[in-house]
Amino acid sequence: MIRWRDPRAPLAVAAATGVAGLAAALLAGAPALATGAVAGGIAALLAALSLLLASVRTAPAHRPAARWLGSGAVVWLLGVVLRPVAEGSSLVVNFADLLVLVSIVLLAGGCVLAAGRPCTPAPCCAISPTPTCAPPPCS
């Protein structure tokens, strides 16, 4: 952790500000569906911008994971913003719900790519490490 600045403080302040703003809007009598859509849209937009920017700035090995996560955030944004429009639909599952489901798949794929494969040594190295039995490179 950085000695002179706690990196979690701005995140906590931003989260508290968002929760306070959402609570104030709901207490003021704003419609819950529209308020939730605006709050979710802003959160998804910030997440998408952050992840897509990270996909450009990170190391090449981590770019696919950030792109999958950023794409999932963009599709999530579309699903959350279109939810009030699709509310009047007579279908049980509307197109906004399907967008959120697709984004879950994209986010899960990004998480799998970000986790990567575990780095384990070759079986012969566990028995007797020799110079000819080098462990596989970790990526």
Side-chain angles (χ1 to χ4, degrees):
M1 185 162 34
I2 302 170
R3 284 187 315 125
W4 55 273
R5 184 177 68 89
D6 186 3
R8 294 172 295 192
L11 181 61
V13 170
T17 304
V19 168
L22 181 62
L26 290 174
L27 289 174
L33 187 63
T35 305
V38 169
I42 290 172
L45 178 66
L46 292 175
L49 289 175
S50 172
L51 289 164
L52 293 175
L53 185 64
S55 72
V56 175
R57 291 186 172 183
T58 58
H62 300 294
R63 286 183 183 161
R67 287 183 184 139
W68 275 73
L69 290 168
S71 300
V74 168
V75 176
W76 187 286
L77 170 67
L78 291 174
V80 168
V81 170
L82 291 176
R83 184 170 301 246
V85 175
E87 187 63 28
S89 174
S90 62
L91 301 172
V92 176
V93 178
N94 54 34
F95 60 90
D97 294 332
L98 293 176
L99 286 172
V100 172
L101 288 173
V102 169
S103 70
I104 290 172
V105 172
L106 290 171
L107 291 170
C111 290
V112 168
L113 287 173
R117 295 187 325 173
C119 182
T120 57
C124 63
C125 295
I127 299 169
S128 62
T130 61
T132 59
C133 179
C138 295
S139 59

